[in-house]
Amino acid sequence: MTTTRSVDFISAQAVSAALTPARAVQAIEDALRAGLDPAGDFQRTVLDVAHGQLLVMPSQSSSSVGVKVATVAPANPGRDLPLVQAIYILFDGNTLSPRVFIDGAALTTLRTPAVSIAAVKPALLRASTPLHVTVFGAGPQGVAHVDTIADVVGQTRQIASTTYVVRHPDIARLPPQAHVVHAQSPEAISAVERADVIVCATGSAVPVFDSRVAKRDVIVMAVGSHRPDRREVDSALCARAQVIVEDPQTALREGGDVVLAIAESGLTAGQLIPMKDVVTGTSPLHADRAVFFKSTGMGWEDAVVAEAIVSGTLDAT
């Protein structure tokens, strides 16, 4: 005789209530410092379906197994629907019984900037002067990166300004107080020139800014694509920056910013810095050089933050 039990669903609102951005960053750091090696993670599976893509991102730890199932529907923005939609399933590591379902979009919006900020945190905290942040893209990831930076730097550094550079300012859905400029305007160039931090969250196939006008020690994070033929930053930035990736082999397979820069510039695969080495202090960052983090997204990141969300939900009950 078998019995079934209901599996709880953690909504987007519950995700936000369970875990702050700073706590999500800490969960990523704690996992890497405890010995988690992104190189041992499962590969993402990408399947072309009739109206877009189906992505399957599994991972496992000593206590759980999890998988995010996501869809990418290019026509959805025109339908006033999200481009990316997802659900996350967390299973018990021993019995493989489902433990909980989590809103996948909310999980992704929380974990992606948490990974980015964990990867560049030593650079963010190396000074106390106010930060000027420039964001390319009008989607939730750009806003979430700004929120995570603000939550992490706290009293150490204030955000002096935030500028969103977008192609269609008239339809951009951004916070009411956001400073928004057109991607082709002189104001966009000025935003790059003064930026201490640049976030690229566009999915663009070509570089979204000219890195020659960026500061020598600029911090850049690119999260918009997991395809080897698309990039948001140019080869010139990769050639002069300290290039951090989640896992070198994954970046060489899926990170177009890195793949194309290696083909075009002096960047080599051996120069790629695994983010775990930054987090654990094995690879200190030089204060006088640019820092570039290229993220493709990996299953272990969802698993780590999902576990922290479940813990936070239990703590709240």
Side-chain angles (χ1 to χ4, degrees):
M1 180 177 179
T2 60
T3 60
T4 59
R5 66 179 183 85
S6 62
V7 180
D8 291 335
F9 175 74
I10 300 179
S11 67
Q13 293 77 11
V15 167
S16 298
L19 205 64
T20 65
R23 279 288 295 114
V25 173
Q26 184 179 339
I28 293 293
E29 293 175 321
D30 289 348
L32 293 172
R33 288 172 180 151
L36 187 152
D37 186 1
D41 203 24
F42 297 119
Q43 290 188 23
R44 179 202 337 260
T45 299
V46 180
L47 303 172
D48 292 322
V49 295
H51 299 288
Q53 290 183 324
L54 178 70
L55 283 64
V56 182
M57 299 177 63
S59 190
Q60 66 178 338
S61 68
S62 59
S63 61
S64 67
V65 173
V67 61
K68 182 167 71 180
V69 181
T71 58
V72 181
N76 269 9
R79 304 180 179 118
D80 201 26
L81 291 172
L83 171 68
V84 180
Q85 301 173 92
I87 188 75
Y88 193 82
I89 312 171
L90 190 67
F91 300 87
D92 180 84
N94 293 318
T95 66
L96 300 185
S97 300
R99 292 174 56 192
V100 68
F101 295 101
I102 302 175
D103 184 297
L107 171 61
T108 303
T109 301
L110 179 64
R111 68 84 156 141
T112 301
V115 173
S116 296
I117 304 314
V120 304
K121 186 176 172 183
L124 278 174
L125 298 179
R126 65 191 175 195
S128 58
T129 53
L131 284 169
H132 294 277
V133 181
T134 295
V135 179
F136 285 84
Q141 279 299 341
V143 176
H145 272 74
V146 175
D147 291 343
T148 305
I149 292 170
D151 201 25
V152 168
V153 299
Q155 299 302 312
T156 303
R157 302 186 79 170
Q158 299 295 317
I159 295 182
S161 70
T162 303
T163 302
Y164 291 88
V165 182
V166 302
R167 292 180 299 170
H168 304 290
D170 53 329
I171 61 173
R173 296 182 177 179
L174 292 165
Q177 72 278 12
H179 178 51
V180 183
V181 302
H182 193 281
Q184 302 302 320
S185 67
E187 291 83 0
I189 298 175
S190 297
V192 172
E193 290 175 331
R194 70 171 173 270
D196 301 293
V197 178
I198 298 175
V199 178
C200 303
T202 68
S204 176
V206 297
V208 295
F209 68 95
D210 183 350
S211 69
R212 292 176 298 180
V213 303
K215 291 181 177 179
R216 181 183 63 180
D217 59 350
V218 68
I219 302 167
V220 181
M221 293 163 272
V223 301
S225 174
H226 58 264
R227 287 176 44 177
D229 59 343
R230 304 178 73 87
R231 62 176 170 188
E232 297 175 284
V233 307
D234 55 29
S235 294
L237 176 71
C238 293
R240 70 179 174 95
Q242 300 162 95
V243 181
I244 306 167
V245 296
E246 292 138 312
D247 165 59
Q249 289 305 311
T250 301
L252 293 172
R253 185 175 62 247
E254 301 180 353
D257 304 73
V258 169
V259 172
L260 296 171
I262 289 174
E264 297 174 356
S265 72
L267 180 68
T268 67
Q271 292 173 306
L272 300 180
I273 305 170
M275 67 172 291
K276 69 179 180 64
D277 290 353
V278 177
V279 171
T280 60
T282 304
S283 295
L285 300 176
H286 301 287
D288 60 345
R289 290 183 59 194
V291 171
F292 171 49
F293 174 60
K294 171 56 188 170
S295 173
T296 62
M298 297 182 69
W300 68 269
E301 303 158 359
D302 294 308
V304 167
V305 176
E307 287 273 15
I309 289 169
V310 171
S311 296
T313 302
L314 293 175
D315 291 342
T317 59

